């Protein structure tokens, strides 16, 4: 068994150009089982495009994505059985109650006992009281929480979260981080997360991939990256890269 | 392909229908209005005509059968639009549901909407104009099959256009029904259309379905050649709709249009 086959995510040399603008320029990412990885970078660094290519929602011009041994786009459906995705900016289906929407997603993910999976996932993030609320009647923070619950329903091998705590109060955000750490520890799920909150990244991840101008500019532990750039923490690194990206 | 995921797609749309009163307009109110409009028109024309044949059954049967196409089309089209309206498309695209499963689920749920609309149409047509749908007999089945498949095909093709051109193109979900209504000879034989437009009408499978319907209403046997042409054409149209939308989905993924909907 090669290292590549063992990794839950292997993205090799991804490139994407939109109307002559090179958004992603040869990005390679691997995530090992159970590993927690942060994908960081200033606005326009190519994070969202990369993430959407990893999820099969955008096709790369060149390069390949393999999730749990399933190559995209041909085996997207099989690959997505092992992936949970949530984004802070994504709403949930209108006109469905939270329990119904989660049941639908559980069904799509192939969960056998939908009801039990929904109850367990709601309890994990302490939001059982939202179960009978309509999705479109939730606050943005509550919606984000339900989105994260949705992503964990089927005990995925890879959890992909895009700015998951951006709209949450600090206490709720902390609860989410704690819940995510517990989830990853108990299920062995790997985590790939983007965030603009450097403290969150330092708390949640073991390794950080910094992107700037569509390329990987650093790939190491948060402490090692901070030390390499001559800072005490990731905040300084982020500010420096954002400044350099603006000048480029 | 997973039957379970298809059933879940149907459940997802059943929830929406249950909680969206305006969706009941599609299968309850508009059919009622159509029967009143076309039934009244038929009654008026018959009253002022010297012909021994009343036009009322032709108009009512025409609009009833057109609703099969209409409901099938909007069930698929608005089923997909439901995901874009609630910006849920990226959530769906990142689940194991395949494009085929999603379309199959919306199309199958559309059959329920067709049945509900037909019930509304039948009851009101009988109540107001004493027209019985059963007068068409078993011939209704192959005619309905053609119209259902044409409706699905148009709905699927419309999804492709929305994927490619964005939500502004969703007007086609409704607009395409008017095009199909005008060119399919719903109420009149194709030769009543302007000459230049008749070739367009003749290549539509729905035109053959309505030709067959008029033959049955005339008291003739179900014309096998019209049904055969209609069925073959409908499946060709379905294949073309799938192919077109698969191509548009590829363009959608290649150009990163998903960000338009999220």
């Amino acid at each position: 068994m090669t290292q590549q086959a063992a990794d839950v995510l292997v993205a090799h040399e991804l490139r994407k150009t939109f109307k002559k603008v090179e958004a992603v320029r040869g990005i390679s990412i691997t995530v090992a089982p159970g590993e927690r990885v942060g994908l960081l970078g200033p606005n326009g660094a190519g994070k969202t495009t990369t993430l959407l290519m990893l999820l099969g929602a955008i096709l790369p011009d060149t390069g390949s994505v393999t999730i749990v041994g399933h190559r995209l786009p041909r085996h997207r459906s099989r690959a997505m059985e092992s992936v949970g995705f949530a984004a802070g900016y994504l709403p949930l289906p209108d006109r469905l109650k939270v329990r119904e929407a989660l049941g639908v997603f559980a069904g799509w993910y192939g969960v056998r006992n939908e009801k039990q999976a929904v109850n367990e996932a709601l309890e994990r993030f302490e939001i059982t009281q939202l179960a009978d609320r309509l999705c479109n009647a939730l606050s943005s923070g509550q919606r984000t929480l339900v989105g994260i619950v949705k992503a964990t329903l089927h005990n995925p091998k890879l959890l992909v979260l895009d700015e998951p705590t951006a709209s949450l109060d600090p206490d709720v955000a902390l609860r989410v981080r704690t819940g995510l750490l517990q989830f990853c520890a108990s299920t062995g799920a790997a985590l790939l997360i983007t965030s603009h909150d450097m403290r969150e990244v330092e708390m949640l991840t073991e390794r950080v991939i910094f992107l700037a101008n569509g390329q990987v500019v650093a790939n190491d532990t948060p402490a090692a990256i901070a030390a390499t750039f001559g800072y005490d923490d990731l905040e300084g690194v982020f500010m420096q890269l954002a400044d350099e990206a603006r000048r480029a | 392909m997973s039957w379970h995921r298809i059933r879940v797609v149907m459940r997802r749309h059943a929830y929406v229908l249950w909680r969206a009163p305006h969706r009941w307009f599609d299968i309850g109110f508009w059919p009622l209005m159509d029967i009143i409009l076309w039934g009244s028109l038929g009654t008026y024309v018959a009253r002022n005509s010297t012909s021994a044949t009343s036009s009322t059954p032709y108009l009512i049967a025409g609009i009833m059968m057109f609703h099969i196409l209409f409901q099938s089309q909007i069930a698929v089209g608005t089923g997909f639009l439901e995901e874009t309206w609630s910006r849920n498309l990226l959530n769906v695209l990142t689940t194991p549901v395949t494009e085929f499963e999603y379309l199959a689920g919306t199309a199958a749920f559309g059959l329920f909407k067709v049945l509900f609309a037909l019930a509304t149409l039948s009851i009101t047509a009988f109540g107001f104009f004493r027209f019985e749908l059963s007068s068409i007999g078993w011939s209704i089945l192959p005619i309905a099959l053609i119209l259902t498949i044409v409706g699905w095909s148009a709905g699927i093709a419309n999804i492709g256009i929305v994927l490619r051109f964005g939500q502004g193109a969703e007007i086609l979900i409704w607009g395409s029904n008017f095009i199909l209504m005008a060119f399919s000879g719903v109420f009149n034989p194709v030769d009543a259309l302007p000459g230049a437009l008749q070739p367009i009408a003749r290549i539509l499978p729905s035109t053959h379905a309505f030709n067959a319907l008029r033959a049955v209403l005339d008291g003739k046997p179900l014309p096998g050649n019209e049904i055969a042409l209609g069925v073959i054409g409908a499946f060709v149209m379905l294949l073309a709709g799938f192919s077109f939308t698969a191509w548009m989905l590829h363009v959608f993924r290649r150009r990163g249009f998903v960000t338009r909907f999220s």
Side-chain angles (χ1 to χ4, degrees):
Chain A
M1 185 70 71
T2 63
Q3 178 59 41
Q4 237 190 31
D7 288 329
V8 287
L9 170 69
V10 181
H12 181 67
E13 277 294 310
L14 297 178
R15 288 180 181 276
K16 191 69 200 174
T17 301
F18 296 115
K19 291 185 178 171
K20 297 182 183 173
V21 176
E22 275 190 291
V24 174
R25 302 190 289 170
I27 287 177
S28 295
I29 294 174
T30 58
V31 178
E35 190 183 19
R36 301 191 309 275
V37 179
L39 189 63
L40 307 184
N43 291 330
K47 295 190 302 292
T48 301
T49 303
T50 302
L51 216 58
L52 292 175
M53 286 194 288
L54 299 180
L55 293 164
I58 291 180
L59 288 174
D61 295 337
T62 60
S64 65
V65 178
T66 306
I67 295 174
V68 198
H70 304 295
R71 178 88 177 256
L72 303 185
R74 177 175 288 272
H75 301 292
R76 187 197 67 80
S77 179
R78 289 296 303 277
M80 288 304 119
E81 288 174 7
S82 303
V83 177
F85 170 66
Y89 51 81
L90 266 190
L92 293 154
D94 285 350
R95 300 178 199 285
L96 270 67
K97 290 183 177 177
V98 167
R99 187 185 299 283
E100 294 164 349
L102 293 176
V104 164
F105 281 104
W108 283 343
Y109 283 125
V111 173
R112 289 285 168 209
N113 190 338
E114 290 172 16
K115 200 173 173 183
Q116 187 185 338
V118 169
N119 286 336
E120 284 176 5
L122 285 168
E123 282 166 18
R124 185 180 296 130
F125 290 93
E126 302 172 34
I127 54 166
T128 47
Q129 75 281 6
L130 300 180
D132 292 314
R133 297 268 301 275
L134 283 171
C135 291
N136 40 310
L138 299 176
S139 69
S140 58
Q142 290 169 332
R143 213 165 46 219
T144 304
L145 278 170
V146 175
I148 293 169
V149 167
K150 179 213 78 171
T152 61
L153 281 169
H154 54 306
N155 291 336
K157 292 187 174 128
L158 174 64
L159 196 52
V160 180
L161 304 177
D162 193 9
E163 300 284 351
T165 59
S167 60
L168 301 180
D169 290 337
D171 62 319
V172 183
L174 182 63
R175 204 168 81 210
V176 167
R177 288 176 204 132
T178 308
L180 287 172
L181 284 174
Q182 282 170 354
F183 176 77
C184 291
S186 62
T187 65
L191 176 68
L192 181 64
I193 185 169
T194 73
S195 176
H196 281 96
D197 184 337
M198 295 302 115
R199 281 183 308 161
E200 174 173 276
V201 173
E202 284 168 341
M203 176 183 172
L204 281 179
T205 64
E206 305 155 302
R207 180 161 65 93
V208 162
I209 298 169
F210 253 109
L211 304 183
N213 295 317
Q215 291 177 305
V216 176
V217 292
N219 182 357
D220 212 327
T221 63
I225 289 179
T228 304
F229 281 79
Y231 292 96
D232 294 331
D233 55 30
L234 290 176
E235 195 85 36
V237 181
F238 188 94
M239 299 300 275
Q240 182 186 324
L241 288 172
D243 190 47
E244 285 173 5
R246 259 196 309 276
R247 291 167 195 272
Chain B
M1 186 181 73
S2 160
W3 290 105
H4 178 68
R5 289 198 291 256
I6 292 172
R7 282 200 301 274
V8 176
V9 172
M10 293 172 70
R11 174 149 55 97
R12 184 251 186 281
H13 290 293
Y15 287 135
V16 173
L17 181 63
W18 182 246
R19 296 225 175 77
H22 63 283
R23 287 269 160 269
W24 289 92
F25 265 61
D26 289 341
I27 56 177
F29 189 71
W30 301 135
L32 172 68
M33 289 298 109
D34 273 336
I35 286 295
I36 292 172
L37 172 66
W38 296 103
S40 305
L41 181 66
T43 304
Y44 173 73
V45 171
R47 200 179 289 156
N48 292 283
S49 168
T50 53
S51 168
T53 310
S54 168
S55 56
T56 310
Y58 294 88
L59 292 177
I60 291 180
I63 195 64
M64 287 176 93
M65 298 310 284
F66 184 74
H67 261 276
I68 294 176
L69 187 159
F70 171 73
Q71 298 293 344
S72 305
Q73 194 277 121
I74 61 166
V76 174
T78 58
F80 166 76
L81 285 182
E82 203 62 55
E83 309 301 357
T84 68
W85 288 331
S86 56
R87 297 199 297 127
N88 191 45
L89 191 56
L90 185 54
N91 278 328
V92 178
L93 287 174
T94 52
T95 69
V97 176
T98 65
E99 295 79 6
F100 179 81
E101 287 162 355
Y102 192 87
L103 292 175
T106 56
F109 187 66
L111 290 177
F112 162 77
K113 295 173 95 172
V114 167
L115 288 176
F116 194 96
L118 270 182
T120 309
L121 291 158
S122 303
I123 292 166
T124 50
F126 182 74
F128 289 138
F129 302 103
R130 291 285 174 262
F131 176 84
E132 291 183 49
L133 183 64
S134 58
S135 63
I136 304 171
W138 292 108
S139 301
I140 194 175
L141 292 179
I143 295 170
L145 173 73
I146 296 166
L147 296 174
T148 301
I149 296 173
V150 170
W152 287 344
S153 310
I156 290 166
N158 286 337
I159 291 173
I161 293 170
V162 173
L163 284 171
R164 172 62 185 81
F165 296 102
Q167 277 185 282
E170 69 182 51
I171 190 73
L172 282 170
I173 302 280
W174 284 271
S176 61
N177 285 315
F178 290 101
I179 298 169
L180 285 167
M181 191 183 217
F183 284 94
S184 297
V186 176
F187 307 111
N188 48 272
V190 168
D191 58 17
L193 281 170
L197 301 179
Q198 289 180 19
I200 301 170
R202 288 203 175 89
I203 60 168
L204 287 175
S206 43
T207 301
H208 299 287
F210 287 108
N211 283 346
L213 175 66
R214 271 187 296 278
V216 172
L217 290 171
D218 286 341
K220 297 173 187 164
L222 185 70
N225 61 330
E226 293 285 8
I227 293 298
L229 281 171
V231 170
I232 293 166
F235 278 105
V236 169
M237 199 170 161
L238 187 63
L239 187 65
F242 265 124
S243 305
F244 173 74
T245 298
W247 175 35
M248 290 298 107
L249 186 63
H250 180 76
V251 172
F252 172 87
R253 285 194 164 118
R254 190 160 46 78
R255 297 202 186 178
F257 288 160
V258 70
T259 52
R260 287 174 173 175
F261 299 97
S262 50

